[in-house]
Amino acid sequence: MAPPELEPVNPFPPNVHAAFRSYISSDGYINRDRVSHDKYVLYQVYFDAPDTKANNQIESRAKHEAFTNFEVEDGVLYRQRKLPKHPERRIVITGNDVWSVYTSTHLRLGHAGRDAMFYELEKKYYGVSRAECQWVKDHCCI
């Protein structure tokens, strides 16, 4: 007789995802490394059509920043290498993907603490923060 299969446990109550979204989008919260959705779209426009002219100073700065600090491969936006701290390019994480990336990493690392999560995420992703890692850790029910 086969042992019964265990149901996977979600250590995050349903309302926690919405609370996290509220936390990272609140007026007082700042993540300097997070690329906003609008800027992400603007970068994609410039990479898709490099001859596109900027309409104002903000767009001109964004175009320069895109070609100086980022690159696109197969539709994925990467932050370029920044030696010596980041010898590999990193995937730019946006607000849309951040929850699933944080929670899957937290679970994969065996409910690791803030620093372990942050160091693991920072190797692969650009736009993560210690404060967000702490928030996810604090709201895990296990």
Side-chain angles (χ1 to χ4, degrees):
M1 184 165 153
E5 288 191 33
L6 298 175
E7 290 289 322
V9 175
N10 182 355
F12 298 99
N15 61 343
V16 173
H17 181 204
F20 181 77
R21 302 277 311 157
S22 294
Y23 167 67
I24 66 171
S25 60
S26 63
D27 289 338
Y29 182 76
I30 296 172
N31 178 341
R32 291 183 305 218
D33 290 335
R34 174 84 30 82
V35 174
S36 71
H37 177 72
D38 292 342
K39 196 174 267 193
Y40 186 92
V41 169
L42 194 56
Y43 289 171
Q44 292 286 6
V45 167
Y46 291 133
F47 282 116
D48 289 345
D51 294 333
T52 302
K53 300 289 184 202
N55 294 321
N56 55 48
Q57 185 69 26
I58 292 171
E59 289 183 9
S60 178
R61 200 172 303 128
K63 183 175 182 177
H64 174 75
E65 186 177 81
F67 288 107
T68 303
N69 298 319
F70 300 91
E71 58 191 60
V72 173
E73 183 178 307
D74 297 328
V76 178
L77 184 65
Y78 292 91
R79 171 73 175 183
Q80 293 177 353
R81 296 164 190 61
K82 192 172 184 181
L83 297 173
K85 188 175 180 182
H86 300 291
E88 301 295 325
R89 66 186 186 171
R90 297 176 290 156
I91 297 170
V92 174
I93 188 171
T94 64
N96 296 334
D97 302 323
V98 69
W99 174 253
S100 61
V101 169
Y102 278 122
T103 55
S104 63
T105 302
H106 178 69
L107 298 175
R108 186 173 44 79
L109 294 177
H111 301 276
R114 178 197 72 184
D115 291 340
M117 269 180 62
F118 177 75
Y119 291 127
E120 183 69 20
L121 287 165
E122 189 186 35
K123 290 178 202 173
K124 185 175 180 181
Y125 298 101
Y126 176 77
V128 297
S129 80
R130 280 185 178 83
E132 292 169 1
C133 290
Q134 183 70 46
W135 196 100
V136 170
K137 182 190 101 39
D138 289 347
H139 289 82
C140 177
C141 294
I142 294 179

